[in-house]
Amino acid sequence: MTAAFFALAGTALGILGTLLTDAWRARRDDLQERRQRLRDVCIDFTVALVRMRQAHWGRGYDDDTRRAAMRDAHDEARAQYERLRLITTSLRVQEEARYALRYAYGLLRQLEGSPPREDEVEPSALDQIDDRLVRLFAEVRRELGVPRSHDVLSE
């Protein structure tokens, strides 16, 4: 009788240990996957804004191609911003990305002939994008657990 009890207790402990280990692994894997998604969407968002900046400078573009490239890049940045909002747990990440997108739209407006908005004069919308991207990188790095997350070189 006692042997059966100890066998049953050993089996229960073995099952419980296996379940806890599986739950821990699943949580770790989920966290790693979410971090990778956050990295990927931050990169895609940044690439779209860099494409806007390149088109704004106009190197190798005629006017129509330049406008189309900026619109396409802005549309892509907007889509990546929405992905970022879904993935991140940080309101600061969302805020910095939103401001970067806002100033990118300001570049597009200026290209289409609208005057800069009041907060896009000094510093310029282009400078504001760079500043917000640095802040975004710092916040994303903090969410990812990178040591010294605010040590991001500015352009």
Side-chain angles (χ1 to χ4, degrees), residues 23-86:
W24 177 79
R25 270 194 203 118
R27 184 172 179 185
R28 184 195 66 200
D29 292 347
D30 182 55
L31 181 60
Q32 286 176 342
E33 184 179 337
R34 191 178 68 73
R35 284 179 175 170
Q36 186 58 49
R37 284 184 189 162
L38 181 58
R39 281 185 201 100
D40 291 345
V41 73
C42 187
I43 290 166
D44 293 342
F45 179 73
T46 302
V47 166
L49 292 182
V50 168
R51 285 181 37 227
M52 282 193 77
R53 184 171 50 199
Q54 294 296 99
H56 175 75
W57 287 331
R59 296 184 186 129
Y61 293 97
D62 60 44
D63 285 343
D64 291 334
T65 307
R66 185 177 173 200
R67 272 190 211 90
M70 282 191 73
R71 279 191 208 107
D72 290 346
H74 183 268
D75 290 346
E76 179 63 23
R78 180 67 195 199
Q80 297 307 325
Y81 167 70
E82 296 300 337
R83 284 183 58 212
L84 187 63
R85 287 177 58 202
L86 288 170

Side-chain angles (χ1 to χ4, degrees), residues 135-155:
R135 292 180 190 188
L136 173 66
F137 297 158
E139 292 301 324
V140 167
R141 288 165 49 110
R142 180 169 39 175
E143 186 171 343
L144 293 172
V146 174
R148 297 189 343 241
S149 60
H150 283 81
D151 290 349
V152 178
L153 182 64
S154 181
E155 284 286 322

Side-chain angles (χ1 to χ4, degrees), residues 93-111:
V93 168
Q94 295 175 47
E95 179 182 6
E96 296 303 339
R98 182 65 187 103
Y99 275 109
L101 185 63
R102 179 194 188 284
Y103 293 119
Y105 182 68
L107 286 181
L108 181 59
R109 287 181 68 238
Q110 290 174 35
L111 180 67

